[in-house]
Amino acid sequence: MHIHVLGSGAGGGFPQWNCNHPISRRARNKEASARPRTQSSIAVSADGRDWFLFNASPDLRQQINDNAVLHPDPNQGLRHSPIKGVVVTNADVDHITGLLTLRESQPLRIYGTRRVLGILGTNTIFNVLNPEFVKREPITLNQPTELQHPDGKVSGIVVVPFAVPGKIALWLEDATKGAGFGSVEEDTIGLEVRDSRGKTAFFYIPGCASMPPELASRLRGAPLVFFDGTLWTDDEMIKGGVGTKTGRRMGHMSVNEPDGTIAAFKDLGVKRKIFIHINTTNPILIEDSAERKACAAAGWEVAYDGMDIKI
Ligand code: MLT
Ligand code: MN
């Protein structure tokens, strides 16, 4: 299995376009220790030739241009893409708007929960993905599904979607619906990825609000987990003067809280742990920061665009 990190930043990327936070500024000033990051997405392949995107970010056009593995094969005719499909884990702007980049009558399969596909269905702009060529495939929680090429060929990549604590996409929040803003279980999922023999390869969880015991047992002993690294502390955006929301309010658990991610993973025996979906204010983005060192000391890596993993 091949994993290629296309984008390791959270919604808005690093630096976010309108952000003057000192950490954003370091990236904008092109400091070597503050490597810029596009928005959250990875590409996964069983053979290194055909790829499935996990989430489609607004930066997808740049991500395709920057990553030769996603370029059309010159031996495959005038129209070709190694991208055979997309799996979306929620309906956030940073995870679905890249679908619009994939128009132009290219055959694809789009996988998501019925809830998220329903959201795409009611937003007719997504019909630019010509339904004659692009199949939308509902995935069912806790049911293994082998991803297929548009022509039905099996990929060798099996995903098991499961609900994680989270919330409805920001742009769909309805304050009249109480504390959850209208969220339902299928709004936010994580993915266990298995090879075609059923062996767990890795987990992909770019958004998660907390670590309930059932999630902890699912992840226990996993070989590799990509996990929500949005904020270092829950009140980081408020303290930094760039926002009014906590991480909790945004549906993200934070890295360095007493009930945060480092603490929650401490005894899970996960062999390789990588933060992804990292916000433009998070000090772990700075390679020589004390917070980055603390991550490393706790056995965590920080994903970067272009990170390549072969399992
Ligand atoms: C998030 O992860 O909280 C979202 O990407 C926020 C957004 O849609 O801007
Ligand atoms: Mn996001």
Side-chain angles (χ1 to χ4, degrees), residues 53-57 85-92 94-99 102 109-117 120 126 137 139 147 159 161 186-191 204 206:
L53 307 182
F54 287 11
N55 292 321
S57 103
V86 184
V87 188
V88 290
T89 62
N90 61 23
D92 278 346
D94 55 347
H95 289 163
I96 62 169
T97 47
L99 293 172
L102 299 174
R109 281 183 195 244
I110 313 286
Y111 294 88
T113 59
R114 282 174 182 78
R115 164 76 161 180
V116 169
L117 292 188
L120 300 182
F126 290 101
E137 305 277 358
I139 49 178
L147 303 180
V159 296
E186 287 201 347
D187 274 317
T188 313
I189 58 168
L191 297 168
Y204 177 62

Side-chain angles (χ1 to χ4, degrees), residues 109-303:
R109 281 183 195 244
I110 313 286
Y111 294 88
T113 59
R114 282 174 182 78
R115 164 76 161 180
V116 169
L117 292 188
I119 292 165
L120 300 182
T122 55
N123 282 272
T124 50
I125 192 169
F126 290 101
N127 292 343
V128 293
L129 298 170
N130 186 342
E132 218 178 292
F133 300 98
V134 179
K135 295 193 175 69
R136 297 184 191 181
E137 305 277 358
I139 49 178
T140 302
L141 296 182
N142 303 309
Q143 190 174 295
T145 299
E146 181 158 8
L147 303 180
Q148 292 179 18
H149 294 210
D151 63 5
K153 187 180 153 197
V154 291
S155 66
I157 302 166
V158 175
V159 296
V160 187
F162 52 91
V164 296
K167 68 164 187 66
I168 190 167
L170 172 61
W171 59 279
L172 290 168
E173 284 185 2
D174 181 349
T176 67
K177 294 198 170 147
F181 301 97
S183 305
V184 300
E185 191 187 42
E186 287 201 347
D187 274 317
T188 313
I189 58 168
L191 297 168
E192 179 189 342
V193 183
R194 299 178 181 164
D195 65 22
S196 51
R197 290 162 309 158
K199 190 162 174 281
T200 303
F202 71 102
F203 285 83
Y204 177 62
I205 310 173
C208 185
S210 64
M211 178 73 74
E214 34 324 338
L215 179 57
S217 14
R218 205 184 270 274
L219 299 178
R220 195 175 298 282
L224 168 64
V225 177
F226 287 90
F227 200 84
D228 184 339
T230 308
L231 300 181
W232 177 248
T233 50
D234 193 47
D235 61 358
E236 171 177 312
M237 295 185 54
I238 301 168
K239 280 233 174 87
V242 295
T244 55
K245 288 183 185 168
T246 60
R248 275 192 193 91
R249 169 63 186 84
M250 297 188 295
H252 299 290
M253 65 193 286
S254 295
V255 172
N256 192 44
E257 294 290 338
D259 59 350
T261 316
I262 288 180
F265 273 78
K266 191 168 159 283
D267 298 318
L268 294 186
V270 172
K271 295 185 189 61
R272 192 169 181 192
K273 305 180 289 252
I274 303 177
F275 285 122
I276 195 160
H277 190 282
I278 305 154
N279 195 58
T280 193
T281 53
N282 189 333
I284 66 173
L285 289 167
I286 306 295
E287 280 164 39
D288 52 7
S289 67
E291 293 85 354
R292 172 70 77 92
K293 289 193 184 105
C295 276
W300 282 88
E301 297 169 63
V302 177

